[in-house]
Amino acid sequence: MKCPNCHKEVEKGSLYCPHCLSEIPWVREFDSVETQLRKKEQQDSGGESDREGLSAAKLIYNRKRIIVICLAAAVLLGVFCYRQLHTFSALYSHASQQFEQEHYEAAARSIEAALEKKPNNESANILLAKCLEKQGKLKEGILILKPLVKNADAGVGVYEELVSLLAKNGQSAEVRDILQSSSKKIQEACGEYMCSPPAFSIVPGTYTSLQNLELSGDYQRIYYTLDGTDPTLESSVYTEPVELNEGTTCIKAIGVNAKNIISEVASGKYIIVLKTPAAPAVYPKSGDFSKETTIKVSVPDGCKAYYAFDREPDVNSTEYEQPISVPVGYHIFNVILVAANGKTSKLTSREYYLQY
C-alpha cells in the first residue's frame, strides 16, 4: 500500500509512513466490522422505515376500505329501512295511528300511499273514507267506496261505511236501493238503516161503515197525505188514527227512522159506502081507533129510532125504546131510523085518530 501523503510504498500493517511519518489509514479494514454494523443498522432502520411506510399505506387503504364498506352498508340499511317503512302494512299502521290521534290529513296521506300499493284493499279504502268524513268531505268518501260495492264479494264493512256516509249526506233513496239489492247478511248488518214503508191497520178496499186507520212502523216520525199526493217532510205528521169518512180516501205515507232514512211510499185507497137503513116498520097502520092503542116500531140491530107527533123527528127527538100509546084525538106519528154510521132512514108516518 502507498502512503497517501508521500505516495511511497509502506509495509502492510505499518501505522505510520517510514518516509514522511504520516498516519497510514488502515481504518477501512479495522472499522470494517463497525462499518458493517452501522451499515446493517442503517439497512435495518431503512427497512423499518420502509416497513413503516408500507404499514401506513396499508392502514390508510384498510381505513378507506372500511369507510367504503360502512358507507355501502349504510346505504343498504337505508334502502332496507325505507322499503320497510313504505310497505303497505307499515303505511296502513301509521295511518291508523294518525287517525286515532285525530290527525286526519296525515292519516289520509299515509293511507293514499298505501293504496298505491294495494288499490283494492277494502280496509284501506274504508279508512280513507273515514278520514274524508272526519274532514267533512262526505261526497269524496262516497266516491271512494261506491266502486267497491259493485263487487259481489264486497265485505260488510264497505256497506256499513258507505250507507253511513249516504245517510249523513241525505241520500236516503240510494241507501234503500243499495240495501234492497244486497244480501241478507248485509241487510242484517245494516239493519238500522233499513226502512220499510209504514204498515196500515186496515186493508185497502170498500167498507160500509166509518173506519179509523192506524199507521205503524219503527220510525221517529210518519208523514201522510189524504189527497193522493206523495208525502214529504212538510206533510201532516201522524199522531193518532186517521178517520176515514164516507167517500173515497187515497192515503199515502212515509216513515223516517232514527238514521233519518226515508222509507218508500205506502199507499192505500179506501172507499166508504155507508148504507142507509130502510124506513122503519110501524104497527098498527094508520086508522081510527075507539080504544087504547099502542104503537110499535121495528128497530134493526145497530140502529136507533127517533119519533115525534105532528112534526118531523131528528136525532134530538125522543128515542123509541118501548111501545107508545096513541094519544086521544087526531095525530100524525113520525119516526126515523139512524144507523151507527150516521145514516138516517126515510121518514115513516102514520095517522091515528083515537076517540073513546
Side-chain angles (χ1 to χ4, degrees):
M1 177 179 179
K2 291 182 179 181
C3 173
N5 184 38
C6 62
H7 303 291
K8 292 183 178 181
E9 291 290 335
V10 179
E11 292 182 5
K12 186 176 181 179
S14 298
L15 297 176
Y16 295 95
C17 175
H19 303 288
C20 65
L21 299 178
S22 297
E23 184 177 1
I24 300 303
W26 297 104
V27 179
R28 187 179 301 256
E29 294 182 10
F30 289 107
D31 293 341
S32 61
V33 176
E34 294 179 3
T35 300
Q36 290 176 4
L37 290 173
R38 283 196 299 272
K39 286 182 178 180
K40 189 174 186 312
E41 288 178 358
Q42 291 176 355
Q43 289 175 356
D44 292 342
S45 62
E48 289 177 1
S49 297
D50 291 342
R51 284 194 297 273
E52 288 178 359
L54 289 173
S55 299
K58 188 174 183 181
L59 179 62
I60 292 172
Y61 172 77
N62 289 336
R63 286 179 178 174
K64 288 182 178 180
R65 186 178 180 186
I66 291 171
I67 291 172
V68 171
I69 292 173
C70 290
L71 288 174
V75 170
L76 292 174
L77 180 62
V79 171
F80 175 78
C81 291
Y82 177 84
R83 288 182 177 178
Q84 288 298 108
L85 292 174
H86 286 74
T87 62
F88 173 83
S89 298
L91 292 167
Y92 181 85
S93 177
H94 181 260
S96 298
Q97 293 174 0
Q98 293 296 310
F99 183 84
E100 291 176 359
Q101 296 172 8
E102 299 182 359
H103 301 155
Y104 303 122
E105 291 185 8
R109 288 194 295 271
S110 293
I111 205 63
E112 285 174 348
L115 283 169
E116 290 180 0
K117 301 179 181 297
K118 294 184 179 181
N120 297 321
N121 184 272
E122 289 188 359
S123 297
N125 279 286
I126 291 171
L127 182 56
L128 178 57
K130 288 183 176 179
C131 291
L132 294 170
E133 176 187 355
K134 292 295 185 180
Q135 298 177 69
K137 301 176 181 179
L138 298 179
K139 291 183 178 180
E140 288 86 342
I142 291 170
L143 292 175
I144 292 294
L145 298 178
K146 262 191 173 182
L148 298 181
V149 299
K150 294 180 180 179
N151 181 0
D153 298 325
V156 172
V158 174
Y159 281 90
E160 288 179 326
E161 182 62 21
L162 177 57
V163 297
S164 173
L165 291 174
L166 289 170
K168 291 178 180 178
N169 203 43
Q171 296 174 248
S172 294
E174 290 195 47
V175 172
R176 291 197 307 270
D177 293 342
I178 288 174
L179 293 182
Q180 285 176 356
S181 61
S182 63
S183 67
K184 185 177 180 180
K185 179 181 178 181
I186 299 297
Q187 291 178 352
E188 290 177 350
C190 301
E192 59 187 338
Y193 293 95
M194 298 289 289
C195 191
S196 301
F200 294 171
S201 62
I202 304 173
V203 177
T206 301
Y207 294 87
T208 58
S209 62
L210 300 178
Q211 302 292 321
N212 288 327
L213 176 64
E214 296 182 0
L215 310 180
S216 61
D218 187 15
Y219 311 109
Q220 293 290 93
R221 296 170 304 280
I222 295 177
Y223 299 90
Y224 70 96
T225 60
L226 298 175
D227 58 2
T229 60
D230 287 340
T232 67
L233 300 184
E234 302 298 324
S235 302
S236 301
V237 179
Y238 174 80
T239 56
E240 59 185 4
V242 179
E243 294 183 359
L244 300 178
N245 297 316
E246 185 177 15
T248 300
T249 302
C250 293
I251 183 169
K252 290 187 176 183
I254 56 173
V256 181
N257 66 12
K259 291 294 184 179
N260 288 321
I261 301 301
I262 302 173
S263 74
E264 292 185 325
V265 177
S267 61
K269 184 177 182 180
Y270 297 89
I271 301 173
I272 307 299
V273 179
L274 299 180
K275 287 185 176 181
T276 301
V282 179
Y283 303 94
K285 294 182 179 181
S286 301
D288 297 339
F289 301 92
S290 58
K291 60 180 181 179
E292 185 177 347
T293 302
T294 58
I295 304 171
K296 296 179 180 180
V297 179
S298 178
V299 182
D301 291 338
C303 292
K304 292 183 179 181
Y306 297 90
Y307 70 92
F309 284 98
D310 304 321
R311 63 180 181 83
E312 289 192 7
D314 55 30
V315 293
N316 295 315
S317 300
T318 305
E319 182 180 353
Y320 174 84
E321 296 178 329
Q322 58 186 5
I324 308 162
S325 296
V326 175
V328 176
Y330 175 80
H331 297 282
I332 298 174
F333 176 77
N334 297 309
V335 62
I336 57 173
L337 291 177
V338 178
N341 60 21
K343 282 291 188 176
T344 303
S345 70
K346 291 183 177 181
L347 179 70
T348 297
S349 297
R350 294 287 186 266
E351 298 180 13
Y352 298 110
Y353 180 67
L354 177 60
Q355 183 179 8
Y356 290 116

